[in-house]
Amino acid sequence: MRSETAPAIRLEDYNPPAYRIDTVYLNVELEPKATLVTATMSVHRQPETAEGTPLVLDGDELTLKALKLNGEPLPASAFAASDDRLELRTPPGEPFELTLETEIDPDANTKLMGLYRSSGTYCTQCEAEGFRRITYFLDRPDNLAVYTTRLVAPKATCPVLLANGNPAETGDLETGSRHYAVWHDPHPKPAYLFALVAGDLARVTDTFTTASGRPVTLNIYVEHGKQDRCGWAMDSLKRSMRWDEEVFGLEYDLDVFNIVAVSDFNMGAMENKGLNIFNDKYVLADPETATDQDYANIEAVIAHEYFHNWTGNRITCRDWFQLCLKEGLTVFRDQEFSSDMRSRAVKRISDVRLLKSHQFPEDAGPLAHPVRPKIYHEINNFYTATVYEKGAEVVRMLKTLLGDDAFRAGLDLYFDRHDGDATTIEAFLACFEDATGSDLSRFSLWYEQAGTPVVTVETEYDPGRMTFELSLSQEIPPVPGQKTGKPAVIPLRFGLLGPNGEDLEVTSAEGAQISGDVLILDQARQKVRFGNIASRPVLSLLRGFSAPVRLDQQQDPQDLVFLAAHDRDPFNRWQAVQDIAMQDLVRLTALHGDGHPPVCSRNVIDVFGATLRDMSLDEALRALALTLPGEADIAQEIGKNVNPDHIHAARAVLRREIGRAHVAAFLEQATELVPAGAYAPDAASAGKRALANRALHYCAVSASGAAGIVLERFTSADNMTDRLAALTLLVHDAMPAKDEALEQYRARYEHNSLAMDKWFMTQATDPGPETVEKVRDLMIHPLYDPTNPNRVRALLQSFATGNPTQFARPDGAGFELIAESALEIDKRNPQVASRLLTSFRSWRALDPQRSALAESALLRVSSYENLSRDSRDIVDRSLQ
Ligand code: TRP
Ligand code: ZN
C-alpha cells in the first residue's frame, strides 16, 4: 500500500474566501516543547456568502486547546477541530471575534515550516503554507490582515524578540525572569508573510534615510561571534534600498528593517514584512570564508528579499498559481540591480547559464510546467527555476518589446493601481496594456505554455538583388499533457555584421515587425528580407539572450569564429565561443562512443587562444568565455541516449588540448594576474581572480610542475576564492596532495559550517571513480548533519546534480544512494527530500542501461508507503 496522491488544486477552481479575517492579535508564549499561541481575530462574512455558511480554517499538526466566540467558550457541537482543519458550523452573520488557543512543539518541528528552532533560536517560515502550523487560519494569500504580535519568553535565553512591523511595547513580566515585546505591522498582509524570531542573538545596526527623508533603523541579527561577517550584507541592503528609490521610485515603508540569519533553512531567504529571515549563507561573508560567488549571491539575495517589499508584500498574489507575479518580477529586479552594481554583460551571461542549466532541463522533462501553472498537488514543489528564472525572462521580454519608458510606465501604473491588492498575472499585464495601448493577449502565452520554444533560422544571401533573407520558424517541443503549442511572441535582438565586423545599418526590411535592433517573431514560420546589403553579412541573432528559446542555427564554424572576435554584443560573443566548443564536444563525445581516437578541432583551440589574449574583453568575460560548457549542458545538447562517461571524457580531452596549446599564456595569467592590495569583493577584482583560476584550471592538466603551483596557491591564498579553486583542482584532478589539502582545510575550518559545506561539496563533486563510496563515508563523518539543509545540499544535492558520471554510474550505486537518502530525509524534512528527488528529472534522456537503473530507483522510492506529499508528487510526475 502506498500513500495517496494529494488532491489536485486547479487555477480554474479559484473562489474568493467566504469569510475574511482582517485583524489578528497573536500572543505567543515561547517554550521549546510547548509553545502556547493565542490568536484573536476579527472575522466577517463576505456579502456574497450566504448566512450560516460554515467557516473553515486551515491547520497542520495543530492541537486546539480552547476556542471562544466573542469572548464566550463555544459548545463542542458548534465546531469540529482536527489537526488540519477547524470548522465553525454556523458562524454569526455579523462580524465576530474568534479566539483560538493552540499548543505547538517547536523542537519537534523538523520540517522547518511554521515555528521551529535553529541552533536554539526560535524562528518561523510561513510561505507557502506554514502559518497553519502556528494557528488555524485562512492560510491563503488573498486574505490580508493587520497583525499585532506579542511575544513572551525568558529574558536569559531570548533577550531578542522580533516580529513584523514596528516595535510597539516591551516590558518584564511580574516574576522578572520573563519579558515580552509587542510588534505592530500596519500593512495588511497575507499569512505567509508573518514572522517571529526569539533568541540570544547579536545585532549589527545601521541607519538609512529614505528619499523623502524618513529614517529607518536597519538591523542584522546573527549568532554571537558572527557580527564581523555582516558588513557586506548591510552594505548590500543599503545599496538595494537606494537603488529601488532611484530606479523604480519605491521607498521603504516601516521604521525598522530587520534581517535575521539562521543556519537551518529550507530555501535561500524569506521576505516576511519588515523581518526578513535568511539562510545564513546569504548573509555571512569575509574574505577568509566566502568566495567571490558568495559575495555576489549575498548581494543578490539581500536585494531580492528587500525588493519583495513592493513586489510581493505591498502587492501580493491572489493565489499560489500567481507565484511568478512576485517571484519572476522580483528576480528580474534583483538581476537588474546586480547588473547596475557590477558588469551587465557578466551578469547576463551568468543568469543565462543558470537558466539553461536549470530551467531548460526542467522544461524539457517530466516536471515541466508553465510559468503560471494551472494545476498542482503540492505548492512547495513549484518554487522552481521555471517560476523564478523563466518568470524573470518573461518580464525582461516585456521590457524589450515595449521599450524602457513604456515598461516603466506600465510598472508605475501597476504600483499605483494595485498597491494593497492580492492580484493576478492578468491584472499585471493589463497595466502594461493600459499604460501603452498595446495588446498583450498573445504575449501572455508565455505564462500559459510549458516547454522551451525552438527557433530555427536559415539564411540566404542573394548578391544580385543584394538581399539577405532569414527563414525563421518556431516550435514548442511536445510537453506531456499539453496540446501543441501556439506560436509565441518572441523578441529577437539581432545584428548583421559587415566584412569588418561592424554592425550594418538596416535600411530596408520586410516580413516582420522590427523596432531598432529587435525583430519580432510571432508566426510559426516567417521570412524576413533585408535589402541594400552589399555583401554577405554574418547574422548575430538572439543578442543578450532576448528570449528564453533554443536557437537552432547550423552556423558555419567560420562565422562563429568571426562573431567570437567581432560581435559588439558581449553576450553573443561569449555565446559564439561556447557554440564553437559545444560543436566539438558533441563530436568528441560521439567519437568516444564509437571508440575512435578523439582529436580536437583546431578551431576551438585557436578561438580559446584568441579569447585568452583578447584584451578588449575584461577579465571576467574572458574567464566566462574560457569555461567549457558543463557536462550537463552537453548532455542536454545531445538530448537522448546520453552516456555521461563519454561526455566527461570528451570534455577532459578538450580541456587538456586547450591547455597544452596555450600553456605559456595560461601559466602567465594564472601566476601574474593577482589583484593588487588586500582582498576586495568588487567585480573587477573578482574578474581577475576568476581568470587567474580559470587559467590555473588549464595549467593543472598541461603545465609541468602544475601540481606544485596548485598546491602553492592552496597554501598561500589570502582569500577563499583562490583557496577553494585550488582545492577543487587538487581533489578533482586527483593530484598527489589531495588528501593532505583536504585535511588541512578541515583543520582550518571545522568550526565554520559554511566553509565546511564547501569541503563536503568539493568531495561530492569529485568525478573520480569511487565518489559514491566517498559520499557514503562522508555521511557518517562527525561533521555531517542530516538535519541541516545546507549540509545535505552540500553533500547530496551537489553530488546528484554536479557529478553526472558518479550519479549515473552504470552499477546504479549513485541512483541508489540518492533514492535511499531521500527516503531517509523525507521522514524529517519533505521539502529537502523532494528537492533532492528532482535530480532524477532527466532520467529518460540517459542511455537504456542507465535510464532503467534510474527508473527502478524511482520506483523503489515510489513504493514506500509513507512518502510525504512533496516527494510523492515529484516521484509520480517523474515517472509519468
Ligand atoms: N519567497 C522566498 C523567496 O523567493 C522563497 C522561500 C523562502 C520559500 N522560504 C521558503 C518557499 C520555504 C517555499 C518554502 O525569496
Ligand atoms: Zn522571492
Side-chain angles (χ1 to χ4, degrees), residues 271 304-305 308 326-327 330 388:
E271 70 263 24
H304 179 96
E305 306 311 329
H308 267 314
K326 73 178 179 80
E327 296 304 346
T330 305
Y388 277 66

Side-chain angles (χ1 to χ4, degrees), residues 638-698:
I638 294 172
K640 53 176 191 287
N641 204 15
V642 166
N643 180 322
D645 290 334
H646 294 164
I647 293 175
H648 181 78
R651 198 171 178 275
V653 166
L654 189 53
R655 172 191 175 199
R656 193 189 58 217
E657 292 308 311
I658 291 171
R660 283 187 182 159
H662 309 292
V663 64
F666 278 127
L667 256 178
E668 186 188 325
Q669 299 283 349
T671 48
E672 283 165 29
L673 194 70
V674 179
Y679 175 91
D682 63 279
S685 319
K688 290 196 172 63
R689 281 185 290 273
L691 183 56
N693 287 321
R694 183 51 39 192
L696 190 62
H697 167 88
Y698 286 103

Side-chain angles (χ1 to χ4, degrees), residues 830-849:
Q831 271 184 51
V832 171
S834 72
R835 187 62 61 143
L836 187 55
L837 287 166
T838 62
S839 55
F840 281 97
R841 67 185 172 199
S842 301
W843 68 271
R844 279 182 209 273
L846 294 167
D847 61 22
Q849 183 193 357

Side-chain angles (χ1 to χ4, degrees), residues 622-869:
R622 271 186 279 158
L624 280 169
L626 293 170
T627 303
L628 289 173
E631 292 174 30
D633 303 317
I634 305 166
Q636 235 191 102
E637 183 70 23
I638 294 172
K640 53 176 191 287
N641 204 15
V642 166
N643 180 322
D645 290 334
H646 294 164
I647 293 175
H648 181 78
R651 198 171 178 275
V653 166
L654 189 53
R655 172 191 175 199
R656 193 189 58 217
E657 292 308 311
I658 291 171
R660 283 187 182 159
H662 309 292
V663 64
F666 278 127
L667 256 178
E668 186 188 325
Q669 299 283 349
T671 48
E672 283 165 29
L673 194 70
V674 179
Y679 175 91
D682 63 279
S685 319
K688 290 196 172 63
R689 281 185 290 273
L691 183 56
N693 287 321
R694 183 51 39 192
L696 190 62
H697 167 88
Y698 286 103
C699 293
V701 287
S702 60
S704 62
I709 302 171
V710 177
L711 183 60
E712 160 64 15
R713 173 70 50 94
F714 173 75
T715 323
S716 67
D718 71 344
N719 65 83
M720 181 56 104
T721 304
D722 292 340
R723 178 166 295 122
L724 185 63
L727 180 68
T728 304
L729 290 174
L730 290 164
V731 174
H732 292 189
D733 289 324
M735 294 188 166
K738 166 180 182 169
D739 292 329
E740 187 196 325
L742 280 168
E743 183 48 24
Q744 275 180 26
Y745 186 105
R746 184 203 55 76
R748 184 177 190 126
Y749 291 113
E750 64 184 341
H751 300 296
N752 183 309
S753 53
L754 295 176
M756 284 311 289
D757 286 339
K758 303 181 199 307
W759 186 80
F760 281 97
M761 177 172 339
T762 304
Q763 296 179 77
T765 50
D766 179 354
E770 281 168 11
T771 300
V772 175
E773 289 70 24
K774 184 74 209 176
V775 170
R776 285 197 184 270
D777 285 350
L778 288 170
M779 288 173 76
I780 53 172
H781 190 281
L783 288 174
Y784 183 69
D785 176 1
T787 71
N788 177 257
N790 285 355
R791 190 57 42 96
V792 172
R793 283 186 284 254
L795 187 62
L796 298 175
Q797 188 91 22
S798 66
F799 169 79
T801 57
N803 198 338
T805 49
Q806 284 289 292
F807 177 51
R809 214 165 73 177
D811 64 356
F815 295 143
E816 183 50 41
L817 169 67
I818 294 305
E820 187 185 306
S821 309
L823 276 175
E824 211 39 55
I825 296 162
D826 196 54
K827 297 174 192 156
R828 228 174 356 245
N829 191 329
Q831 271 184 51
V832 171
S834 72
R835 187 62 61 143
L836 187 55
L837 287 166
T838 62
S839 55
F840 281 97
R841 67 185 172 199
S842 301
W843 68 271
R844 279 182 209 273
L846 294 167
D847 61 22
Q849 183 193 357
R850 290 181 169 87
S851 62
L853 289 164
E855 184 176 28
S856 67
L858 279 170
L859 286 168
R860 217 150 43 246
V861 176
S862 176
S863 69
Y864 183 68
E865 53 185 281
N866 293 319
L867 210 54
S868 69
R869 173 209 292 235

Side-chain angles (χ1 to χ4, degrees), residues 453-472:
V454 177
V455 172
T456 308
V457 58
E458 279 168 25
T459 64
E460 196 180 322
Y461 179 65
D462 183 336
R465 293 213 186 95
M466 298 214 317
T467 56
F468 186 59
E469 191 176 76
L470 313 186
S471 304
L472 295 158

